[in-house]
Structures are given as C-alpha cells and as structure tokens.
Amino acid sequence: MPTGPLPAPTPSWSAATDPPRAFHVRSRALALLAVVPLTAFLAWGIAHTVSLAASWTGGQRGGMALAWLASFLLLWWVPVSWLERPRRAPRRARRALDALTVTVQIPVYNEDPQALRACLDSVLRQTRPVQRIRVVDDGSVDDTGAPLTYDDVRAELFRHTRAPGMPEVTWNRTPNRGKRHAQMTVLAHDDADIFVTLDSDSVLDPHAVEEGLKPFANPQVTSVAGQVLVLNHDANALTRMINLLYLPFTRGLRSAQSVLGRVTINSGTLAFYRAGIVRSAAGVYENETFRGRPMQMNDDSMLTFYGLLAGDTVHQPSSLVFTLAPERPGHYLRQQMRWMRGTTVRHLWWLRYLPTTGIVFWTTVAEYVHVLLGLAIPVAILAQPDLRGHLGALLLSGTAIATVMSYLMALRLFTVRRSDMTTRQTLFLFALAPVAALWRAVVLRPMYLYAMVTCHRINRWGTRSTVEVGL
C-alpha cells in the first residue's frame, strides 16, 4: 500500500479536473484508533451480560436486559470492522498478478460529460495498467430526449489511446435496456482474466487497480470490493452528510464481512471479479426477475452473489475510488429507495440459496431480528407500567447510548487520508455523527420498512432520467 506524503496529481489528458488522492492509513495508526471502539464494546458487552445475569439470579425474568443484550450483539460488525487490513500479495505471486488480463467495463447512461472524462482519465492513470477499456453507452439522451452521444469525449479517448502500450478501447452505443445489458454486451464474450466494473461517475485513485488485484493472489478469492469515497463531499450540506450516512456500510459492515471473507454487496462504483464467474452468468444475470418483473437494480449485489457461491468475497480498503453523490434531496431519496428495495430482494436470495450453516445466512437473519427489535422494544416499554414510568430516563439513556455509538462508528472516517479534505473538515464531519444517526432513525429506517413491503417495484431504475450530478 502506498505510504508517505500525498503527491500532487499529474496533469490530466483532458479538460477533466485533476483528481484527488487518498490513502488507507497504516496499520499502526489503525491499531491506535481501534483501542477506543474495541474497549467501549468490551465494556458495554460485559455490562449487558452482568445486568442479564443479575436479573436471572434475582429470580426475575430477563425482561429488557435480554433485549438490550441482543441489540448489542447484533452490532457485531462495529468492532469486527477494526480487524480489517489491506490484503497483500506474496512476492512469488506478483508476477502472476502482473500477467493477468484486466478489462474495465464502464456503462454510461445520461452521465455528465465532464464526469465521464474524469472517469476515463483515472483509468488511464493507473500504476498497474489495464489491458482493455469497454465503454457502453446505454442509449443516453439529453433534456430534450435527443441522443446524447459524447462525441467529444469518445474522440479524446481514442486519440489518447493510439500510442503504443495503451489499453485496447471499444465504445458501443446500444438501445436503452439497463445497466446489466450494457455490461454483458461486451463482457459475455471478453476473454480477460479479471473484470473491473466501474461506474461512469467514479474516479479511481491511481493505485486502485494495483491494490484491487492483490487479493486475487489467494485462489479462493472470487471478487473484491473497492473502498468508496464521496468525490463531491463539500458541495452542500447533503453531500457532507452523505459522507457519514454511507460510512456504516462502506467502512463498517462491509469491512467486517471482509474479515470473514463473506462480503455480500460490492459497490458497482468499483469492483473486481474473476471473469469466468461473470461470463458463466451471461444470459441469466441480465434477465433476472422477481415476481415476474425484470430486476433493473442491484446489479452489483447479484455479481457478488455469484462470487459468494464460488468462493470468498472480500473488500480491499486500499483500492480507493471517488464517486459523485446526490446533491439534491429528491435524487438522494430515490437512490436510497432503489438500494433498499434491491437489498430486500437480495436478502431473500441469500436466505434461499446460501447454506444455513454459513455466516451470510445468519447475519441476514440477524438483520431482520434487529428490525423487529427496533419495533418491539418501544412497544414493550410502553406496555409495561414499571418501564413506562421511567420513560424519560429511558429516552435520556437511549439518546446517550445512540450518541456514543454514532461517534464510535464515525471513527472510521479517520481510516482514510485524502488530499481534498482537510483535518478541519474531517473533524467537522465527525462532530456531526449524531445528526447522521438521527437522520437514519427518523428518515431512513421508516423508508427501509416501506421498501421491504414494496420490494416488488424493482423494474424501474428510479434515477438518471437526465444528467443529475455534474463534476
């Protein structure tokens, strides 16, 4: 993993803005950061266990003590995430990694041309060059409904890649059929060893491909998730908040799952796959249905699902990618609803097709137990007179615990150092952690419950009817 000062970016080949840089912090710094959350969780776990034992020893029912302990255990991923470290390739395996043929596939639909330039530019800047770049425009249109063909961007890309040693580039335009069809238009017949899926609004750190390939030194690894950072982090109050709202998954649950080799959802923003697994899914992957409707979302979780069936799926925290986050509330809420509905469908797939002895099956069950406890605990408190009489104290203690928990999760902000974010900005985001926790409880949790009961509405993407975020 690269260490040391963050170098200045090299000049861009196009008009795109020079991209920022980011590094995953060193293991020693991680260990120091981890002391706080690991100590806090150990103390909290002991306190819950002692409380439950005392209630039983005193001849009383476990009551709320059991519910609190269960809620605590269901947050297993918060401390486990601190055990994640970037995977390394043994010296003897590096030559084999260098020999791999790597294809980067970029589906494009109603993308800001400047963002697309920056995306393509970042692929060409990689310290480990890729062999092929496959761009597929899925029938983009402008605000008037006329074809949006990106002629200038395409011409720049082909002009720049004429030189010897540059990647082979193809650019296809297809009728609008969805992201999966755009991907498989080229991947179904590509004979590469590794496929990299990259969203068109994403910008790679120069070491992203080099770091993302290292876990494949282990033959059991079938897919690798890159670590996602918000590119437009300081555009407005919403994008600042999204930095925190994405955190529990991108650097929390996914990191913990990676420790166990069972990452369940790679971000389409940046992911690596053994190509044979993707090719073998051609014809099935792009035609997935749920309750008779075509599945137009959660393409990334389906590809990860194929990886789970074949071997280990991991996260590489040193393979970093910047992505544009929604800048308007409507765009953000539509994105979240799409993700929530798609994830609900994928939960059903995991429960049906993955082994009942596996960690993914039981963590999925735990997710639903957590949802049920979130509904049952308030009802139980209101239903018991002795607890209802202490409602104010319970609310106060619950708020205190939620605040502490939000800060423990937000410590993951400090696991990445980036050139476009000052220490002051990072500390400001950290201070806002309780606000993000309140947003999750008041807005996202009710949305998730609604998404669960409307998960059959998966045949529309929900965003990108026009260009929604510009660079």
Side-chain angles (χ1 to χ4, degrees), residues 60-61 63-64 380-391 394:
Q60 301 174 353
R61 293 182 302 165
M64 295 305 298
I381 291 174
L382 294 174
Q384 297 184 44
D386 55 333
L387 292 176
R388 194 165 59 244
H390 298 87
L391 186 59
L394 287 171

Side-chain angles (χ1 to χ4, degrees), residues 7 13 25 30 35 37 44 49 52 56 73 91 116 150 160 166 189 243 251 254 283 308 316 326 358 412 424 461:
W13 63 269
V25 303
L30 277 178
V35 168
W44 194 21
T49 304
L52 181 61
W56 283 348
L73 293 175
R91 187 177 297 275
L116 181 56
Y150 305 101
H160 189 73
M166 297 299 286
H189 308 291
N243 279 273
R251 298 189 219 176
R254 185 183 286 155
L308 280 167
Q316 180 70 323
R412 299 291 291 173
R424 181 178 179 179
W461 190 254

